[in-house]
Amino acid sequence: MNGLEERHLQGGYIGRQSGCRSLVEALVSQTSLTPPDPVWEARTSFALQAALLDWESNLMDDLIPMRRQLFPDLEQDCENWPIFRPRRARIRGRGRRGRDPEVAGAA
């Protein structure tokens, strides 16, 4: 999780589900824990980080049964926090269908 956070702080992210899945598989092989479905289904590293944080919170609830009562501010948790979705970069100077206007005009 720290690796994902560092990547995000540096402006990087994983934008493919296959990349996220490989991180989850590495996590499973190191810990032999079975992640919940939202962790497996994450399509970006931002969604993966959010799913991992939710999973971590659930694990902490299991380990410390009175945790929510001891720390009432946890009820304000991040269930409705938005997940960052980066926009795809647009390439300037390109015409329709990805053609360069100068090349298209020369044909």
Side-chain angles (χ1 to χ4, degrees):
M1 204 152 39
N2 288 339
L4 283 177
E5 189 170 331
E6 286 296 323
R7 181 182 291 218
H8 295 159
L9 289 172
Q10 294 173 3
Y13 67 96
I14 299 169
R16 293 184 176 257
Q17 189 172 16
S18 60
C20 292
R21 189 169 287 255
S22 65
L23 284 179
V24 174
E25 289 169 354
L27 176 68
V28 168
S29 69
Q30 292 174 3
T31 63
S32 69
L33 294 173
T34 304
D37 288 341
V39 173
W40 284 109
E41 295 165 357
R43 292 179 170 260
T44 67
S45 56
F46 299 109
L48 177 58
Q49 185 178 13
L52 288 171
L53 287 170
D54 285 342
W55 183 30
E56 178 185 53
S57 180
N58 291 334
L59 290 172
M60 294 296 289
D61 289 343
D62 291 343
L63 290 172
I64 307 167
M66 300 295 292
R67 186 171 87 103
R68 298 277 172 180
Q69 289 79 14
L70 293 171
F71 304 100
D73 60 326
L74 291 174
E75 294 304 324
Q76 302 169 4
D77 234 351
C78 57
E79 287 183 12
N80 295 322
W81 287 6
I83 297 172
F84 177 73
R85 289 177 175 80
R87 294 179 183 225
R88 294 184 181 199
R90 298 179 87 188
I91 300 172
R92 291 183 172 208
R94 297 261 181 173
R96 294 183 67 187
R97 298 186 196 146
R99 295 181 295 170
D100 191 339
E102 293 179 27
V103 174

